[in-house]
Amino acid sequence: MPLSHRRESAHGSRSIARLTTGALTLALLSSTLVTAGPAAAADPIYKDPAQPVAARVNDLLPRMSLNEKIGQMTQGERASVSAADVTTYRLGSLLSGGGSAPNPNTATAWADMYDNYQRSSLATPLNIPLIYGVDAVHGHNNVRGATIFPHNIGLGATRDPALVQRIGEATAKEVAGTGIDWDFAPCLCVARNDRWGRTYESFGEHPEIATSMTSMITGLQGSALNQPGSVLATAKHWIGDGGTTGGKDQGDTQISEAELRSVHLPPFREAIARKVGSVMITYSSWNGAKLHGHKYLITDLLKNELGFTGLVVSDYNAIDQIDGQPGFTAAEVRQSINAGIDMVMVPAEWRKFIDLLRAEVQAGRVPMSRIDDANRRILTKKFELGLFEKPLTDRSFTGTVGSPAHRALAREAVRKSQVLLKNANGVLPLPKTASKVFVAGKNANDIGNQSGGWSISWQGSSGDITPGTTVLQGIRAAVSPQTTVTYERGGNGVDGSYQAAIAVVGETPYAEFNGDRPGGLGLDAEDLATLNRLKAAGIPVITVLVSGRPLDIAPQLPDWTALVAAWLPGTEGNGVADVLFGDHKPTATLPVSWMASAAQQPVNVGDGKTPLFGYGFGDRFPATQSPYSLIGASYYDEQRGTDVQRCTDSGCGQNVGWLAAGDYLAYADVDFGATAPRTVTTRVASGATGTGTLEYRLGSPTGPVVATVSGASTGGWQTWQSRVANVSGNATGVQRLYLVAAGGGGANFVNVNWFQFAR
């Protein structure tokens, strides 16, 4: 039975080999870099898909020359490798670094590029296919038009491994649809200091979260690697990169082995249990020793003790860091390979790597047993992926890139990742029927900012980088057609007539190294100025924080009525609006401790420090509201014909005005309890000549009346009186309460500030 159904036929690798030009054949024969392996049998075992993988590897390895084996261990970057290079040097792997894409950057162009390289690999004497890797770390994020999911920190907030597995499945389909076989994801680091620029790549500060989210691996790899739409997953970065001193990227994790094993190892143990196909080594050091040359951690611990049988790959140019000097050397090549690295990512200088490794093997400083072990691991994964049978892109998946179904899944992930941190007076959810809502902030209408780093380019960038829905667009789609949504990035023009202001602020895109913040972690000057303008308007301010980590916001928090941590949601900003306007309730909890100040870093659960918000915290919308507490009139969830304005007397806040006969306000889930109230106090103001009434009704605008309040003139539209009315009828249990205007001669006759029932 064939091992693979995931790729189209290569249409005959022997035919492709016959198409090789005479010049290329001559170059191959005369090259000192490549020597032919043993003569192939007429029907070699390694080409028989009915044979077990181990038998196929055992058959292929003796047929390979040293140069072919070294080629398999070499991974170059597409921008530095031609199709002819793949054939000439027998390269085993290519990658696209962040932002390295074909032109045009479309799914079809990616598939065409991949197939072109793959055909070149099949033109080699042994027809060993390439394996092509890419950092699809939150969806297929290098491809314009692909679905970009929330970054890992947001997924960690969901506490939903099943959701993350579905995201893995969707990502795998989009990746496979562009030909790519290998995803450098998921990142299983445990981030212990928010100053680290890769914090958003972590699922959280505690190993329990990353361990549970290894479900991503199952989603990416499927039930078997040779199944349609499956790709090879990568557990990264081995090991301890989230624990560097000071949160410094590529720094030194100065901890005991006991802590390394208890905090940073558990997610990798679970990844191996899920049969992850590859592991990538971290740039960082452990107690002064670079991981890329650390035989104890790579061979003794990862391969031998934990029993990892997949392939170990280096990070981008990382072997060059072993000696701390620019330019990788023979000693660095020797140390990294002998430490247990199977494939080396050398983007541009791959020819130099091939020469140095060959010389080290020929000199006996790297044993052939190590070369064969590396090749056995690499070839095993290629056979398991079914690349020998169906090496070209399965175009049936190309159309899934950015599909409506995948975007709907991303929107679900966004709304499930929103963490409600503050919600004074129950301001959230906002009413969809509000007459006016103000939106501000640099991250409100910017796909690039809300997607963060590793989005189309390595560091990410602001602006219209790829199709999607901004948070502002999501807000506009959520509200009623009668609601006016005003957007001004800096908050200019806001006034007291708006029911609320939504400030979408936070970080702009960054990735590793550039994202480190050894200084402060506060909001920038633009955000602070925007927030101050909104505060001065005297209306509720709902702050939506778009960021890759907690920020130092304790000084500003008292000025905000509500705070939502939106993390880096990706392309589907409508998921943020889903929560703000109550279509879905917030369910997420913090995957990290939220600092009381930047000086507190590092702060983690169990360390005895008191954070602003603790690990696992997440507020909820109240199931009910009490009528025996003061209810602000402007905190309705439905209205007809009214408007909101700022009160002029001190401490009044907002009032609802312009009420005329038939206008109403509605309040959901008002719990009167088993005993009905006796009275209701309503704070009103009126400068009208006509007199109307305010009726409290249950269930609908025409439901039973339980109280009636006079709307007679108080002597001015901001001259307030508290009027008490008796309550009758069956005002018990949980009710939808309506405040309905009646009479008044058809004109506006009253403003309402608040009301409160009493028994």
Side-chain angles (χ1 to χ4, degrees), residues 126-297:
L126 294 174
N127 314 129
I128 301 175
L130 277 172
I131 185 170
Y132 198 118
V134 67
D135 288 275
V137 296
H138 61 140
H140 201 4
N141 44 258
N142 274 306
V143 181
R144 182 173 171 84
T147 310
I148 297 183
F149 294 92
H151 268 297
N152 284 353
I153 193 168
L155 298 183
T158 70
R159 300 299 205 280
D160 191 341
L163 170 67
V164 170
Q165 181 169 329
R166 287 191 287 138
I167 290 171
E169 293 169 357
T171 300
K173 287 181 173 64
E174 295 201 15
V175 169
T178 60
I180 308 301
D181 331 282
W182 187 5
D183 186 2
F184 301 138
C187 186
L188 300 180
C189 57
V190 181
R192 305 290 286 176
N193 191 318
D194 298 331
R195 296 186 185 280
W196 187 37
R198 303 190 80 153
T199 296
Y200 65 77
E201 295 188 54
S202 171
F203 289 109
E205 71 183 33
H206 196 284
E208 66 180 358
I209 304 183
T211 300
S212 69
M213 296 307 178
T214 55
S215 57
M216 176 73 77
I217 294 166
T218 303
L220 289 168
Q221 296 191 162
S223 58
L225 286 173
N226 62 353
Q227 294 302 302
S230 297
V231 298
L232 194 74
T234 308
K236 67 181 189 182
H237 303 86
W238 177 263
I239 179 177
D241 54 340
T244 59
T245 300
K248 182 180 180 181
D249 191 49
Q250 304 181 21
D252 191 9
T253 301
Q254 298 171 324
I255 59 175
S256 67
E257 182 170 348
E259 184 175 346
L260 187 74
R261 286 174 174 265
S262 65
V263 174
H264 300 281
L265 186 143
F268 290 93
R269 187 188 301 276
E270 180 62 22
I272 293 168
R274 289 181 181 267
K275 302 186 185 305
V276 68
S278 66
V279 168
M280 183 182 291
I281 307 302
T282 176
Y283 282 113
S284 59
S285 304
W286 178 44
N287 294 329
K290 282 287 183 182
L291 263 291
H292 274 78
H294 211 299
K295 185 176 182 180
Y296 170 70
L297 291 180

Side-chain angles (χ1 to χ4, degrees), residues 435-446:
S435 57
K436 296 170 67 178
V437 176
F438 198 94
V439 182
K442 66 176 185 287
N443 293 339
N445 196 34
D446 196 305

